[in-house]
């Protein structure tokens, strides 16, 4: 209400301050009343439609205070002025409504723009992050580059059939993956075989050690037996006289 009153007061002051520049209406016949067709109450303005200008209403008010209406009935002039002021208030309300609507539209558009800008900044940040990760992956030195692998010819000869199909051989990346998988399987197989051979070696070493121990025991027993036999032989030699050899007599002729 205070805004309407201020606008009304300003319009009244303006109309009073502008009598010299107001254009007098043309006098047609006996009726000198201004055209109030523009003073009808407007419909509710659309959200994005600007209200009509108030210049016509202000001009009509200026016409009412001009010298051409000095001889008119004051009641009629007041009625026309009231209608024009009502029209001016309606235009003011419509302008305020449209202003608020445009402010809300602007705020919504700014919010959407801020959200879009934030989304764009997040997208650019994610893009830079992915680019850095891609560069790291490209610069990454993998261990497989220093591992001696089976050559492609050896791979095609030794690998399973499903690992060396024509499609795999045509795809360099998949071929490398299959070669690495085959290399891993071969190393695991060889490692298992190595463990088995080491276990056999340990068993053989244990068996050999046991046999060497048995042989040492047998050798010690044989040495002891030889020593005992030597002593027995010496004692027997001391007790028994050696037998003299008999000389052969010549046969009679």
């Amino acid at each position: 209400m205070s805004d309407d009153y201020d606008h009304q007061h300003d319009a009244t002051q303006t109309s009073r301050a502008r009598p010299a520049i107001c254009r007098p209406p043309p006098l047609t016949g006996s009726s000198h009343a201004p055209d109030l067709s523009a003073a009808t109450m407007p419909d509710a303005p659309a959200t994005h439609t600007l209200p009509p200008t108030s210049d016509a209403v202000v001009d009509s008010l200026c016409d009412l205070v001009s010298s051409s209406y000095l001889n008119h009935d004051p009641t009629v002039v007041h009625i026309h002025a009231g209608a024009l002021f009502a029209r001016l208030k309606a235009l003011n309300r419509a302008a305020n409504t449209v202003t608020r609507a445009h402010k809300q539209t602007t705020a919504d558009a700014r919010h959407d723009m801020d959200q879009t800008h934030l989304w764009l900044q997040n997208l650019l940040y994610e893009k830079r992050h992915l680019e850095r990760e891609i560069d790291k992956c490209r610069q990454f030195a993998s261990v497989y580059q220093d591992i001696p692998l089976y050559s492609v010819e050896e791979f095609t000869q030794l690998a399973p059939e499903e690992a060396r199909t024509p499609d795999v051989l045509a795809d360099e990346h998949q071929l490398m993956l299959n070669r690495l998988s085959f290399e891993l399987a071969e190393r695991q197989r060889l490692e298992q075989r190595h463990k088995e051979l080491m276990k056999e070696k340990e068993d053989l070493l244990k068996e050999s050690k046991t046999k060497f121990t048995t042989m040492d025991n047998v050798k010690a027993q044989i040495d002891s037996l030889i020593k005992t036999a030597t002593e027995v032989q010496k004692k027997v030699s001391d007790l028994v006289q050696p037998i003299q050899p008999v000389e052969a007599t010549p046969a009679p002729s």
Side-chain angles (χ1 to χ4, degrees), residues 240-245:
V240 178
Q241 292 296 328
I243 301 174
Q244 295 296 329

Side-chain angles (χ1 to χ4, degrees), residues 28-221:
T28 56
S30 61
S31 176
H32 302 287
D35 185 11
L36 298 180
S37 60
T40 57
M41 297 298 291
D43 296 333
T47 304
H48 300 288
T49 303
L50 293 177
T53 179
S54 61
D55 292 341
V57 179
V58 173
D59 291 341
S60 298
L61 288 173
C62 291
D63 293 340
L64 289 178
V65 298
S66 64
S67 59
S68 60
Y69 285 91
L70 294 177
N71 297 327
H72 285 73
D73 186 2
T75 304
V76 176
V77 174
H78 280 295
I79 292 174
H80 290 318
L84 290 174
F85 276 117
R87 170 65 177 174
L88 192 60
K89 290 181 180 180
L91 292 175
N92 181 51
R93 288 193 297 270
N96 291 335
T97 301
V98 171
T99 300
R100 287 192 295 269
H102 278 280
K103 284 183 178 179
Q104 184 62 38
T105 303
T106 303
D108 295 340
R110 183 182 293 110
H111 176 72
D112 294 340
M113 184 177 64
D114 292 340
Q115 292 294 328
T116 304
H117 181 70
L118 179 61
W119 175 79
L120 178 61
Q121 293 298 323
N122 293 336
L123 187 62
L124 292 176
Y125 174 79
E126 185 176 358
K127 176 186 176 183
R128 289 192 296 269
H129 174 70
L130 292 176
E131 288 176 348
R132 288 194 298 267
E133 292 298 323
I134 291 173
D135 292 337
K136 289 181 181 179
C137 292
R138 288 177 176 174
Q139 297 174 3
F140 176 73
S142 179
V143 180
Y144 84 90
Q145 297 175 351
D146 300 328
I147 296 177
L149 301 176
Y150 283 105
S151 63
V152 179
E153 293 77 10
E154 294 174 340
F155 174 78
T156 53
Q157 294 176 0
L158 301 176
E161 183 65 28
E162 61 274 8
R164 50 186 175 88
T165 59
D167 295 336
V168 172
L169 296 178
D171 189 350
E172 183 178 356
H173 177 69
Q174 189 61 41
L175 176 61
M176 178 57 69
L177 292 179
N178 288 6
R179 289 179 63 190
L180 290 173
S181 299
F182 177 71
E183 184 71 24
L184 177 61
E186 284 294 298
R187 288 175 180 260
Q188 290 175 347
R189 182 182 65 82
L190 294 175
E191 179 66 20
Q192 183 65 28
R193 180 59 180 166
H194 175 71
K195 291 180 179 180
E196 294 175 355
L197 293 176
M198 290 299 295
K199 188 175 182 304
E200 293 180 3
K201 178 182 177 181
E202 291 177 357
D203 295 339
L204 292 174
L205 288 175
K206 290 179 180 179
E207 184 179 357
S208 177
K209 186 176 180 180
T210 302
K211 291 182 178 180
F212 273 116
T213 304
T214 304
M215 290 176 62
D216 291 339
N217 293 332
V218 171
K219 183 179 180 181
Q221 292 178 3

